[in-house]
Amino acid sequence: MIGSVLADLWPQYGLTIYTPRLELRLPHEEELAALARLAADGVHRADERPFLTPWTDGSPEDRARFVLQGHWDQLAGWSVAAWRLGLAVFHDGNPLGVVTLRARDFVVVREVTTSSWLGIEHQGKGYGTEARVGLLTLAFDHLDARAALTEVFQDNHASQRVSRKLGYEADGISVDARGGEAVVSDRLRLTRQRWLQQERPEVRVDGMAACRPMFGL
């Protein structure tokens, strides 16, 4: 009943993406707590710094609170002009991490940006690639995006492989400050044309019709 009321008032709660192994959707409170605990346990090796925002540098409690705050912020700050959709990734009902689709002025620009994290115990099993395919299916096949963008540190070889495998192409570089060092990221772009040329697993998206006004469509 609670889930039904939430979906009536906030239709993104009725949006679910199904890939062969995974389910992507907004988490409910107890699932959000499980995701926070997952982040607290770690999302990368101690010698890695894969995120420009240093949200993993703090204590386990800091990481857990960042996940909670990020989820609540995206809901509270949603607008047609600037939105962020962070979907929990589930396998057999167990949370694995979060994949995020975001955009500004999407109705005009028709470009989205993706990002993600997985609990360290769930990495290296193809879940990240499969979840990205689910997110991109939503973007291209249901939101009619023209391109999907991502930025990846040049030394983040795992994320680079996922993006290249899915057909992303080089779109320049970005240089940012990470603490006291300058770091270089590859900007990568996946066009709608390239997406349509890719072989990919079957994906089903439920609940999109009710969400269209939330995206300005």
Side-chain angles (χ1 to χ4, degrees):
M1 175 65 72
I2 293 176
S4 176
V5 171
L6 276 175
D8 288 343
L9 297 174
W10 197 263
Q12 293 94 318
Y13 271 103
L15 179 65
T16 306
I17 303 171
Y18 299 95
T19 71
R21 295 183 296 171
L22 306 175
E23 181 180 329
L24 281 58
R25 57 177 172 78
L26 285 179
H28 296 292
E29 288 301 303
E30 68 281 1
E31 296 166 336
L32 180 60
L35 283 167
R37 289 192 294 269
L38 186 66
D41 290 339
V43 300
H44 59 76
R45 298 195 310 265
D47 61 342
E48 295 177 325
R49 297 187 69 189
F51 306 112
L52 185 60
T53 301
W55 69 276
T56 60
D57 287 356
S59 67
E61 291 77 16
D62 291 333
R63 293 193 293 273
R65 292 187 185 111
F66 182 91
V67 171
L68 297 177
Q69 187 174 16
H71 174 76
W72 294 326
D73 280 350
Q74 73 167 352
L75 297 179
W78 188 286
S79 73
V80 170
W83 49 262
R84 181 162 54 98
L85 181 67
L87 301 178
V89 180
F90 295 94
H91 178 249
D92 291 337
N94 299 311
L96 309 184
V98 172
V99 290
T100 300
L101 191 72
R102 66 182 186 275
R104 298 186 67 87
D105 300 316
F106 178 77
V107 175
V108 177
V109 177
R110 295 286 176 168
E111 293 187 344
V112 297
T113 301
T114 64
S115 58
S116 65
W117 64 266
L118 292 179
I120 195 166
E121 65 193 273
H122 304 302
Q123 296 172 17
K125 302 175 182 178
Y127 294 138
T129 302
E130 189 171 325
R132 180 98 68 94
V133 169
L135 208 59
L136 292 171
T137 299
L138 175 66
F140 286 114
D141 298 356
H142 296 267
L143 296 175
D144 198 25
R146 296 192 187 108
L149 315 176
T150 191
E151 292 193 16
V152 186
F153 290 145
Q154 291 183 333
D155 61 357
N156 188 342
H157 303 299
S159 186
Q160 289 270 2
R161 283 194 298 271
V162 170
S163 297
R164 306 287 183 177
K165 180 180 179 181
L166 293 174
Y168 285 77
E169 298 176 296
D171 192 36
I173 64 169
S174 297
V175 181
D176 298 284
R178 184 176 62 183
E181 64 174 337
V183 292
V184 180
S185 299
D186 286 326
R187 293 202 308 263
L188 303 173
R189 174 183 294 266
L190 176 62
T191 64
R192 181 177 185 82
Q193 181 179 5
R194 288 278 290 174
W195 167 256
L196 294 174
Q197 294 170 350
Q198 302 297 313
E199 291 187 8
R200 53 189 184 273
E202 183 176 349
V203 174
R204 188 176 96 237
V205 177
D206 289 353
M208 182 58 206
C211 293
R212 290 181 65 81
M214 302 295 287
F215 294 96
L217 303 176

